[in-house]
Amino acid sequence: MRKAIIAGNWKMNKTPAEAKALVEALKPLVKEASCDVVVCVPAVDIATAKAAAKGSNIKVGAQNVHFAKSGAYTGELSADMLKEAGAEYVIIGHSERRQYFGETDATVNQRVLAAVNAGLKVILCVGEKLEERNAGYTDALVEYQTLIALTGLDKKQVEKIVIAYEPVWAIGTGVTATDEQANETIGVIRAALARKYGKGTANKVRIQYGGSMKPSNVKGLMAQPEIDGGLIGGASLKAEDFAAVVNYDK
Ligand code: 13P
């Protein structure tokens, strides 16, 4: 049995003071959660969010990481920096990074390796655009994105990766993939993992759905056998909404 994991992706929202307030509001609301609870916050909020989450079941994550250990990369943050600031998780390869910041499958792979080597837990994002789905490329694309991103990891390392399947057309649009669509594509990702790393490994990897997941649709999505959690954007910015998603089984 895989333990569910629900993570908030705050994107570029919340100042440190606002982050503190949101984490404090969340703490009592999610304390009975049966899943892992993570908030992936802007880097400047990590230390504050970590301090606010102290003594609770809320884990803190970052939203991106550079692949070099250190060096002349103005404006970037290394895995060691994020970890020392208090991040336990890091999102890598979000479609907004791919779309607006030139992220490629190759650099996603480099970032995954850097994060894993530094002891950060990775939430790897994959997903197709609408035109790719309409052209019938969804399965091939998510398989390719996933396997490239994991290149260089051994089975034990792959087991610990969390994958977020986020169809780009469902992000921030209010349009959710149907429960069956999400389940089917996540099944495709797991089958690809099984072919490359064996069934035992594939069955341990937690695969989330992301894209307009919210209190009103979380139950149906989480009832699907392949879906092990969610990566939540908009609905993670209000304590009551995120708590309602986290407490989907209550
Ligand atoms: P929304 O939940 O706002 O659609 O965002 C999903 C997402 O991109 C999470 O990473």
Side-chain angles (χ1 to χ4, degrees):
M1 262 310 273
R2 297 179 291 266
K3 187 177 186 190
I5 174 166
I6 304 269
N9 174 9
W10 291 4
K11 307 192 180 183
M12 197 174 74
N13 293 287
K14 307 289 177 187
T15 65
E18 290 166 345
K20 180 170 187 278
L22 180 49
V23 171
E24 280 171 357
L26 262 178
K27 279 208 288 194
L29 302 179
V30 301
K31 68 176 196 293
E32 308 285 330
S34 55
C35 60
D36 287 334
V37 182
V38 186
V39 289
C40 296
V41 305
V44 292
D45 297 348
I46 291 172
T48 316
K50 174 81 175 169
K54 202 168 182 239
S56 80
N57 56 337
I58 301 172
K59 312 276 193 235
V60 176
Q63 299 174 5
N64 188 30
V65 61
H66 195 263
F67 39 80
K69 257 232 69 68
S70 63
Y73 299 101
T74 301
E76 293 294 322
L77 298 166
S78 73
D80 289 340
M81 290 171 186
L82 297 172
K83 199 162 177 227
E84 197 171 317
E88 187 174 331
Y89 287 81
V90 62
I91 296 172
I92 296 179
H94 192 280
S95 62
E96 287 150 17
R97 302 288 326 165
R98 295 177 192 257
Q99 189 177 346
Y100 305 130
F101 303 100
E103 202 73 65
T104 64
D105 290 313
T107 56
V108 167
N109 174 235
Q110 286 182 279
R111 287 171 212 268
V112 168
L113 294 175
V116 168
N117 287 334
L120 286 170
K121 295 173 182 154
V122 171
I123 300 177
L124 164 68
C125 298
V126 300
E128 81 288 1
K129 300 192 188 93
L130 188 58
E131 59 269 28
E132 292 162 340
R133 173 164 283 267
N134 290 342
Y137 295 148
T138 300
D139 294 1
L141 193 101
V142 295
E143 174 167 346
Y144 179 85
Q145 286 177 334
T146 303
L147 295 182
I148 296 274
L150 300 179
T151 302
L153 297 182
D154 63 29
K155 286 183 184 193
K156 284 269 158 249
Q157 292 169 320
V158 169
E159 270 173 22
K160 298 193 187 83
I161 302 287
V162 175
I163 297 173
Y165 166 58
E166 300 204 302
V168 177
W169 47 272
I171 295 177
T173 57
V175 179
T176 324
T178 64
D179 301 347
E180 294 74 21
Q181 274 174 329
N183 190 65
E184 192 187 325
T185 306
I186 289 177
V188 166
I189 295 169
R190 199 178 305 285
L193 292 173
R195 280 195 297 279
K196 175 97 192 247
Y197 301 100
K199 258 195 151 151
T201 301
N203 284 337
K204 288 195 180 115
V205 175
R206 297 186 291 177
I207 310 183
Q208 304 171 309
Y209 168 76
S212 300
M213 198 163 172
K214 50 190 177 242
S216 60
N217 59 26
V218 63
K219 268 197 168 53
L221 287 160
M222 290 303 291
Q224 295 291 325
E226 293 290 354
I227 303 181
D228 304 319
L231 187 57
I232 322 298
S236 72
L237 298 174
K238 280 200 193 129
E240 296 73 24
D241 288 352
F242 188 58
V245 174
V246 164
N247 295 317
Y248 68 91
D249 55 347
K250 303 277 182 287

